[in-house]
């Protein structure tokens, strides 16, 4: 098995360093988190890490952008865990953005699932559906969704045949 190339996947070498620094700052400032520390944590977790991810994988197009948005939502959540509730000033205003981002990500996932189901229900094979969805999601997820769609198509066909004969 070929080892990952550091020049291709440098994000996974940089991100732990940024996270380690943020955890150190958050835990060493426990009880005395001011707006500057909170802003620094929020910047690193919700802006810097997603931007670094996007920069590292920008050749992947929309998929990298969607994953960077998901990473930003995760960063906001992590910042709320690192900053004690009584010391949150900025996170009170930024927290709702996480829910808006998650709503958009869920909507994108629903669109992908519907596209896979439509492809299978219109007569496409599992392999064609997986090949078509390859850039949007991992192939194994697309394959599982396509197999599930094919299963429900067969169940629907059996129900139609069962009730069609009794009519």
């Amino acid at each position: 098995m070929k080892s990952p190339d550091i020049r291709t996947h440098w994000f996974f070498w940089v991100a732990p360093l940024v996270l380690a620094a943020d955890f150190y700052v958050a835990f060493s400032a426990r009880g005395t988190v001011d707006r500057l520390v909170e802003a620094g944590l929020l910047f690193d977790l919700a802006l810097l890490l997603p931007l670094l991810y996007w920069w590292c994988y920008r050749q992947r197009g929309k998929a990298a952008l969607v994953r960077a948005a998901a990473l930003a939502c995760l960063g906001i959540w992590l910042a709320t865990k690192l900053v004690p509730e009584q010391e949150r000033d900025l996170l009170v205003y930024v927290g709702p953005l996480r829910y808006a981002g998650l709503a958009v990500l869920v909507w994108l996932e629903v669109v992908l699932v519907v596209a896979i189901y439509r492809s299978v229900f219109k007569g496409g094979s599992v392999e064609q559906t997986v090949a078509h969805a390859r850039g949007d999601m991992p192939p194994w997820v697309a394959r599982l969704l396509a197999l599930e769609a094919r299963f429900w198509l067969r169940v629907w066909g059996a129900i139609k045949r069962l009730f069609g004969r009794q009519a």
Side-chain angles (χ1 to χ4, degrees):
M1 187 169 139
K2 186 178 172 185
S3 64
D5 184 17
I6 192 170
R7 290 172 289 173
T8 306
H9 304 288
W10 56 264
F11 172 78
F12 293 104
W13 294 93
V14 174
L17 297 175
V18 173
L19 287 172
D22 285 341
F23 277 101
Y24 175 75
V25 167
F27 289 120
S28 65
R30 223 18 127 160
T32 60
V33 175
D34 59 357
R35 276 193 175 182
L36 184 61
V37 172
E38 183 182 18
L41 289 171
L42 194 56
F43 175 80
D44 284 354
L45 298 172
L47 290 174
L48 181 65
L49 285 177
L51 285 173
L52 288 174
Y53 181 87
W54 175 80
W55 184 258
C56 182
Y57 296 108
R58 66 188 176 278
Q59 70 276 8
R60 294 183 182 177
K62 289 188 297 185
L65 191 62
V66 169
R67 289 179 182 159
L71 199 55
C73 293
L74 180 65
I76 293 171
W77 174 81
L78 186 58
T80 61
K81 297 301 176 193
L82 292 177
V83 177
E85 190 170 349
Q86 64 273 14
E87 298 174 6
R88 295 180 193 160
D89 291 326
L90 301 172
L91 285 169
V92 173
Y93 301 107
V94 176
L97 290 176
R98 174 177 166 250
Y99 296 108
L102 288 175
V104 169
L105 292 171
V106 167
W107 177 76
L108 288 172
E109 289 295 324
V110 168
V111 167
L112 285 173
V113 169
V114 167
I116 288 174
Y117 267 70
R118 277 187 182 160
S119 175
V120 170
F121 274 66
K122 287 184 178 181
S125 70
V126 172
E127 290 75 23
Q128 290 172 338
T129 304
V130 170
H132 182 67
R134 184 168 292 266
D136 296 329
M137 65 177 49
W140 65 273
V141 174
R143 178 174 294 288
L144 286 176
L145 286 171
L147 289 171
E148 180 186 10
R150 189 172 68 180
F151 167 77
W152 288 115
L153 181 63
R154 288 182 179 171
V155 167
W156 179 247
I159 290 172
K160 283 182 6 183
R161 283 190 305 274
L162 180 68
F163 288 111
R165 290 183 186 158
Q166 293 178 356

